[in-house]
Amino acid sequence: TRLAEGTPRRSIQLSNIVEQRIFNDNEIISTPKRSRSKLADEVVDEDYTPKKSNQKTPTRPRRSSTTKQPSATKLKEQAPLTPSQKLKKIRSGELSPSMEQREQPVDESRKSQLQLAREQLHVSVVPKSLPCREKEFDNIYSFLEGKIQDQCGGCMYVSGVPGTGKTATVTGVIRTLQRLVEKDELPAFDFLEINGMRLTEPRQAYVQIYKQLTGKTVSWEHAHTLLEKRFTTPAPRRVTTVLLVDELDILCNRRQDVVYNLLDWPTKSAARLVVVTIANTMDLPERLLMGKVTSRLGLTRLTFQPYTHKQLQEIVTARLAGSEAFKGEAVQLVARKVAAVSGDARRALDICRRATEVADTADAQPGGIKCVTMLHVQQALAEMIASAKVQAIKNCSRLEQIFLQAVAAEVTRTGVEETTFMGVYTQIETIAAFMGVALPAPGRALHLCSKLGAERLIISEHSRHDLYQKILLNVSADDIHYALRVESN
Amino acid sequence: EKEAKPSPPRNKYQNARRVLNSAETLNLPGREPQLQELREFFTSHLESQTSGSLYVSGQPGTGKTACLSLLLRAPEFAQRLQRVYINCTSIASVGAVYKKLCTELQLKPAGRTERDHLAAIQRHLRTAKRMLLLVLDEIDQLCTSRQEVLYTIFEWPAMPGARILLVGIANSLDLTDRALMRLNARCELKPRLMHFPPYTKPQIVEIFKSRLAEAEVLDVFPPVTLQLLAAKVSAISGDVRRALDIGRRVVEIAEQQKRAGEKEFNMKALELDGNSAQVEDTLKPVQVSQVAAVLNKVYGASQNLEEDIEAAFPLQQKLMLCSLVLMLRNERNKDISMGRLHEVYRRVCAKRNILALDQAEFAGTVDLVETRGILRIMRKKEPRLNKVVLQWDEEEVHAALSDKQLIASILSDTACLAK
């Protein structure tokens, strides 16, 4: 609590000192709040009591109202800001957030072939046109173009497993449409975008949407009323608004009011709102959403299938674009392995990147050119689709291995997956006698048990139930036998 | 600086597409009796100057909100009624409905608490000059455990001196019997019920005809296609939003096909005689086959994804599903945990000489299949203890996998089950 008291007071004092140094007292701009603080300062200056400052700390962030401050333009010229003035500027969107700049990026020409390939393979480098998604592109394109030309609203639901190019395709379509608008071949439209995962709470969606419309940050209640007003009252010069909602399933709470509102606004004729929603689950509307929300979502749906190995191969080769860094069969191996599991393009690109890193550290081939071969890919695959459990069992201490063996033996004996510590301990006694090692005391064995439980090799309860605690094997019994047998050979 | 450009000439498909949007309209064919009943309810209460409450229920997309917003705009009630429409999904919390109502009525409550707002409303109701028509849409959002707010609102008609007409709209037929039981104790408090039945086939045909006639594009849809579409929708849901959606999809597909055809035509024309290719605007009406294709796609839902899935069902997911089917078929215990499924799957893979995934990857694979709606995972504390439940029929799974050889060989392999 001392820290919490301390910080705001210090900053207030400091800013006051700075202001008194720089301005004469009468020059300080008097917004209503400032004048109050000035008064307080005059009283307090002689003997400062922390209690007063404590009252001053805002418990909730104050939001700016939409009414403009009369002194807003004047404020801009004054360099030093009090924290509250700064916050106000941030909330009204006058200060744009900037990041510190690095001095100089590395020179492009000094990069090796492998480095260039690695940069091209990064997931964040979205290509101009997505390979293997032409059909889906056309589908979304004709939907959005029709809606914008018709000047009416609508919804679309796009689904598919992660890494199949949903968001990239939709934003690609939007970019194409925006280019058409620039050439004056299409009526202008606004583009807004929210992502369910970037919101702390479903209702924050209103704040984000309003912020993208006007640049101001207001509370969600206020934002909701303003949006409601915007979308329900007809305005003659209203342009179509395209709203992209990513991760729709995160926005579904129990009341589903946010989803309902987002999908209900397009049905108002004044709104001219086109909502494109993206989620992973194919049957989300039927599974999670209420009947009335599903009815509003409509039937315009599109599913992105996982990539096949041929498509993954095409994606990776399109990224490499004629570079000699990869052997053809190496790409094919990655594509086949990934397509068999998930068909996730991100996964394939990550494995390829890892393979370039492996090749980078490996010794150069006789030819002198570094190139990613099958062996490098194999190693990268082993790292990324890895099963570390056998290794973990091999690296256990001798007694821990006996413990694991005992659990497996007890499972086979009883036929039930769940064993008690008592039964396991009897098995340990037997195995220890058989192997001729000293038997650990039950307390010691409990310690082993909790250690294995923390490693997640077994699932165990809290050890206060000592003899009666339940133990489940978290690795398969075959793994244990395999690890221990190979080692003993 | 932006001038309104003359929009490019639109063809009939585009006009039909625009007119079939699911936004609100002014004329509501197929809802005449309901509109009449509502009108009678309002006028009778207006004439006798008595309060009353009404509960309107019906499936989504049956025109409840459309009817009431039409009546809210009707000039015959504009003079004698003060009209307020509140959508209960757009209030911050259940108690905030009073505040919203205060803003709608432009009341000045004494304080800022919920109780002050309520007091202001009650004062207004007692002393109001005009009768109040209050429409609460999606009223089931106001349900709480004690139903304080709902009871308070539905008791306003019984307040001495109050003249209020209260209309609640929701989906479930029996909300007032379920959630507002105690209103039945007094006859005067009991809301009058009114149900909007799902649209029938002739009604949907009528709606389409009136909409298409509005833009004079009736010839785009031949009567047969309308009949087919309406019959299918009314058989399944009777939801007019669905019907309009399907109609729009049909037009969109017809337009796409036409555009593709046009391209070919243009290419041919270019080859034939230079550049003076004249494209005449001959639009074929939509065909039954196109409607049927859209209907199949919409109502086949998960089952007819086969053609897509066939190409891109990852191998490990196939093996996982086959193992699950094998276990369900040969074991009486339908309680299948992730750990047990993984054990069987590993044995299946070992038999086929395929490198099996480890448990962590396997859990991810099961998750991905869940997004297709084939499975359901009951989450437990440990991933190994998650329960896997099959949501589809075995036949559907077979059809979706469309890999008869693999399935047959795995299903005959009961030896994998035993330890």
Side-chain angles (χ1 to χ4, degrees):
Chain A
T1 51
R2 176 166 282 180
L3 202 76
E5 274 174 23
T7 20
R9 187 186 78 188
R10 213 176 112 232
S11 67
I12 286 167
Q13 267 188 328
L14 256 180
S15 68
N16 285 339
I17 294 165
V18 169
E19 267 173 11
Q20 278 169 355
R21 280 282 169 86
I22 293 174
F23 311 116
N24 300 326
D25 253 10
N26 55 358
E27 263 179 23
I28 296 178
I29 306 105
S30 62
T31 54
K33 215 178 321 121
R34 276 244 30 104
S35 69
R36 185 149 48 85
S37 80
K38 227 174 84 185
L39 267 178
D41 279 343
E42 279 167 10
V43 181
V44 162
D45 255 353
E46 293 89 44
D47 52 337
Y48 192 88
T49 49
K51 201 156 187 206
K52 277 213 168 143
S53 86
N54 214 11
Q55 282 174 340
K56 274 201 63 194
T57 54
T59 49
R60 280 195 56 206
R62 277 184 294 259
R63 316 291 170 134
S64 79
S65 62
T66 44
T67 54
K68 278 210 171 150
Q69 297 290 328
S71 57
T73 47
K74 217 177 165 187
L75 270 173
K76 211 178 269 178
E77 290 140 30
Q78 313 286 354
L81 296 172
T82 61
S84 69
Q85 279 172 335
K86 199 170 175 185
L87 261 185
K88 208 181 272 171
K89 279 202 158 187
I90 290 171
R91 290 204 174 114
S92 64
E94 287 171 47
L95 283 178
S96 54
S98 63
M99 284 226 312
E100 257 180 62
Q101 295 276 317
R102 176 186 283 224
E103 261 141 47
Q104 195 113 66
V106 183
D107 193 13
E108 277 291 320
S109 58
R110 265 194 282 168
K111 283 175 188 163
S112 73
Q113 188 91 342
L114 270 180
Q115 267 176 321
L116 285 175
R118 187 150 63 230
E119 271 171 26
Q120 276 304 306
L121 285 171
H122 198 278
V123 186
S124 68
V125 183
V126 181
K128 285 213 175 68
S129 70
L130 285 180
C132 313
R133 286 291 177 228
E134 290 82 14
K135 221 176 84 193
E136 286 81 1
F137 186 93
D138 277 349
N139 208 323
I140 300 173
Y141 180 84
S142 58
F143 171 81
L144 281 178
E145 192 198 21
K147 288 291 172 201
I148 292 171
Q149 276 176 349
D150 292 357
Q151 310 266 308
C152 61
C155 305
M156 182 170 193
Y157 178 69
V158 178
S159 66
V161 292
T164 47
K166 301 182 293 291
T167 313
T169 309
V170 175
T171 44
V173 170
I174 300 280
R175 247 178 287 130
T176 316
L177 290 171
Q178 278 168 343
R179 227 169 293 139
L180 276 185
V181 171
E182 277 170 24
K183 283 192 234 156
D184 251 7
E185 287 168 21
L186 198 75
F189 67 94
D190 285 341
F191 174 58
L192 314 175
E193 184 182 18
I194 56 171
N195 185 328
M197 288 289 237
R198 295 211 191 108
L199 307 171
T200 49
E201 209 225 351
R203 284 160 168 179
Q204 288 296 318
Y206 302 134
V207 179
Q208 287 302 321
I209 295 171
Y210 188 73
K211 192 174 176 190
Q212 288 181 35
L213 277 173
T214 61
K216 289 185 183 118
T217 309
V218 293
S219 74
W220 74 262
E221 290 102 334
H222 197 186
H224 175 246
T225 19
L226 290 171
L227 286 175
E228 184 104 10
K229 203 192 260 168
R230 181 189 156 94
F231 288 131
T232 50
T233 51
R237 289 210 170 172
R238 171 78 34 88
V239 292
T240 309
T241 314
V242 179
L243 172 64
L244 170 62
V245 182
D246 214 339
E247 314 284 356
L248 179 74
D249 41 347
I250 309 290
L251 292 178
C252 303
N253 45 5
R254 204 176 52 80
R255 274 182 73 195
Q256 304 196 352
D257 51 341
V258 178
V259 192
Y260 177 90
N261 277 320
L262 289 182
L263 297 177
D264 192 39
W265 285 329
T267 65
K268 309 272 194 295
S269 49
R272 292 196 177 169
L273 181 68
V274 187
V275 182
V276 181
T277 52
I278 300 181
N280 289 344
T281 320
M282 214 185 275
D283 56 346
L284 180 86
E286 284 75 29
R287 184 189 289 195
L288 206 64
L289 299 177
M290 294 176 184
K292 54 192 176 194
V293 182
T294 309
S295 170
R296 280 171 177 76
L297 186 59
L299 297 165
T300 317
R301 296 186 190 173
L302 179 65
T303 310
F304 280 64
Q305 294 299 336
Y307 289 113
T308 61
H309 69 91
K310 280 192 192 128
Q311 291 172 327
L312 283 176
Q313 208 174 333
E314 202 179 323
I315 289 169
V316 174
T317 37
R319 292 234 173 183
L320 291 170
S323 146
E324 299 287 312
F326 261 84
K327 286 257 195 294
E329 70 263 21
V331 176
Q332 190 169 7
L333 178 65
V334 174
R336 284 201 182 263
K337 280 278 182 190
V338 173
V341 179
S342 56
D344 183 342
R346 281 185 209 128
R347 193 73 182 277
L349 292 174
D350 281 344
I351 292 175
C352 285
R353 263 173 67 87
R354 181 64 200 141
T356 59
E357 282 168 9
V358 171
D360 224 1
T361 51
D363 296 330
Q365 282 178 342
I369 312 159
K370 280 191 175 176
C371 178
V372 182
T373 60
M374 285 281 257
L375 288 176
H376 299 139
V377 168
Q378 199 93 49
Q379 196 184 332
L381 278 169
E383 276 174 27
M384 297 190 78
I385 309 184
S387 136
K389 282 203 168 145
V390 174
Q391 279 304 318
I393 298 169
K394 275 187 188 172
N395 290 335
C396 280
S397 74
R398 195 84 197 86
L399 281 177
E400 281 167 357
Q401 286 175 349
I402 291 175
F403 194 97
L404 283 173
Q405 265 178 310
V407 179
E410 181 70 7
V411 170
T412 344
R413 189 181 72 84
T414 54
V416 190
E417 276 188 74
E418 208 174 59
T419 56
T420 60
F421 183 79
M422 204 165 9
V424 173
Y425 193 71
T426 331
Q427 292 285 348
I428 293 179
E429 279 175 334
T430 323
I431 295 173
F434 179 73
M435 297 179 116
V437 290
L439 182 73
R444 198 93 208 130
L446 274 176
H447 183 70
L448 292 178
C449 174
S450 64
K451 193 157 168 262
L452 287 172
E455 272 182 300
R456 279 282 170 269
L457 288 175
I458 60 173
I459 300 167
S460 62
E461 289 179 324
H462 195 276
S463 55
R464 67 167 166 264
H465 301 294
D466 41 25
L467 278 183
Y468 299 101
Q469 73 164 301
K470 300 198 171 68
I471 296 173
L472 271 165
L473 216 49
N474 201 22
V475 288
S476 78
D478 301 344
D479 272 346
I480 295 174
H481 296 315
Y482 176 75
L484 300 184
R485 202 189 57 226
V486 169
E487 196 191 35
S488 61
N489 281 353
Chain B
E1 74 288 291
K2 220 168 265 177
E3 282 173 32
K5 280 188 302 172
S7 56
R10 304 169 60 86
N11 62 25
K12 284 188 173 176
Y13 283 155
Q14 286 168 330
N15 283 336
R17 199 177 62 195
R18 176 191 267 181
V19 91
L20 287 178
N21 66 352
S22 41
E24 52 207 39
T25 52
L26 290 178
N27 65 332
L28 296 167
R31 283 292 169 243
E32 290 86 4
Q34 277 81 11
L35 274 174
Q36 188 54 34
E37 194 180 337
L38 283 171
R39 255 195 205 106
E40 271 165 20
F41 175 80
F42 291 158
T43 34
S44 71
H45 279 280
L46 262 177
E47 269 156 22
S48 62
Q49 287 289 313
T50 49
S51 313
S53 53
L54 176 70
Y55 173 70
V56 177
S57 65
Q59 294 292 306
T62 47
K64 305 176 294 293
T65 308
C67 278
L68 280 155
S69 50
L70 192 71
L71 286 180
L72 282 173
R73 279 197 299 263
E76 60 204 88
F77 301 119
Q79 290 297 314
R80 306 157 68 190
L81 275 172
Q82 185 180 15
R83 298 148 305 166
V84 172
Y85 172 86
I86 293 180
N87 192 325
C88 296
T89 46
S90 61
I91 53 171
S93 68
V94 171
V97 68
Y98 302 132
K99 190 179 169 196
K100 177 105 178 171
L101 188 54
C102 276
T103 12
E104 293 284 336
L105 291 171
Q106 293 167 343
L107 299 180
K108 299 248 167 1
R112 298 176 73 178
T113 63
E114 197 178 293
R115 194 180 293 167
D116 294 326
H117 288 287
L118 179 58
I121 294 168
Q122 284 174 343
R123 197 169 347 103
H124 172 81
L125 286 178
R126 264 186 237 109
T127 59
K129 292 196 187 84
R130 274 197 297 172
M131 203 159 170
L132 176 68
L133 168 59
L134 173 61
V135 179
L136 294 169
D137 206 345
E138 312 292 358
I139 202 169
D140 47 351
Q141 293 276 336
L142 294 182
C143 286
T144 51
S145 56
R146 289 179 57 202
Q147 315 281 18
E148 256 179 294
V149 175
L150 264 186
Y151 273 121
T152 315
I153 291 175
F154 271 91
E155 278 166 10
W156 283 339
M159 226 167 63
R163 289 173 305 157
I164 175 174
L165 277 177
L166 182 70
V167 183
I169 309 178
N171 293 132
S172 60
L173 187 61
D174 58 342
L175 182 85
T176 49
D177 299 332
R178 215 163 14 89
L180 295 169
M181 263 174 311
R182 280 182 281 153
L183 291 183
N184 292 342
R186 283 164 63 188
C187 280
E188 73 270 21
L189 280 179
K190 215 162 132 183
R192 185 168 150 189
L193 299 184
M194 185 171 166
H195 183 64
F196 276 57
Y199 284 106
T200 58
K201 181 183 157 190
Q203 281 171 336
I204 293 179
V205 172
E206 191 53 38
I207 290 170
F208 265 85
K209 277 188 178 157
S210 83
R211 290 238 177 173
L212 293 172
E214 213 173 277
E216 298 165 349
V217 285
L218 203 52
D219 48 338
V220 170
F221 274 89
V224 195
T225 57
L226 281 186
Q227 294 283 339
L228 172 66
L229 197 161
K232 191 79 182 181
V233 174
S234 64
I236 291 174
S237 60
D239 175 348
V240 76
R241 279 198 205 104
R242 296 210 135 200
L244 291 172
D245 259 349
I246 293 172
R248 211 167 46 229
R249 295 289 293 162
V250 171
V251 177
E252 275 169 13
I253 284 172
E255 197 184 348
Q256 270 170 25
Q257 284 178 357
K258 188 205 130 211
R259 209 188 280 167
E262 225 166 55
K263 248 183 216 162
E264 253 168 52
F265 177 77
N266 276 348
M267 293 298 279
K268 271 181 199 162
L270 277 172
E271 278 166 22
L272 284 175
D273 55 352
N275 50 7
S276 64
Q278 186 71 40
V279 186
E280 73 264 49
D281 195 24
T282 49
L283 281 183
K284 278 186 283 181
V286 299
Q287 285 140 24
V288 176
S289 61
Q290 286 170 334
V291 178
V294 172
L295 285 174
N296 273 340
K297 198 158 182 202
V298 167
Y299 286 118
S302 51
Q303 283 87 334
N304 71 357
L305 294 167
E306 294 136 43
E307 72 262 31
D308 296 339
I309 283 183
E310 190 182 349
F313 211 112
L315 177 68
Q316 303 283 2
Q317 298 182 8
K318 276 188 194 173
L319 288 168
M320 191 275 293
L321 270 178
C322 288
S323 314
L324 183 62
V325 171
L326 176 71
M327 287 174 83
L328 284 174
R329 200 181 253 196
N330 291 303
E331 289 181 8
R332 216 178 304 144
N333 187 3
K334 303 296 173 206
D335 213 27
I336 294 174
S337 70
M338 194 85 91
R340 273 185 55 223
L341 180 60
H342 186 226
E343 302 269 293
V344 173
Y345 155 82
R346 280 171 60 121
R347 271 181 232 121
V348 167
C349 282
K351 275 271 179 72
R352 272 160 200 76
N353 222 350
I354 294 169
L355 185 66
L357 303 172
D358 76 326
Q359 199 181 302
E361 285 278 330
F362 185 74
T365 311
V366 178
D367 268 347
L368 290 184
V369 178
E370 193 197 14
T371 65
R372 289 182 188 263
I374 306 177
L375 300 177
R376 188 69 162 278
I377 303 175
M378 312 278 187
R379 307 271 163 192
K380 294 278 157 62
K381 217 160 135 195
E382 293 289 335
R384 196 179 168 83
L385 305 180
N386 286 350
K387 293 272 176 295
V388 182
V389 185
L390 192 67
Q391 298 277 358
W392 281 12
D393 275 345
E394 221 175 89
E395 283 77 37
E396 285 176 334
V397 174
H398 286 200
L401 292 178
S402 70
D403 196 342
K404 293 237 163 52
Q405 277 181 320
L406 182 72
I407 303 171
S409 78
I410 290 179
L411 289 187
S412 63
D413 211 350
T414 43
C416 292
L417 289 171
K419 299 227 160 163

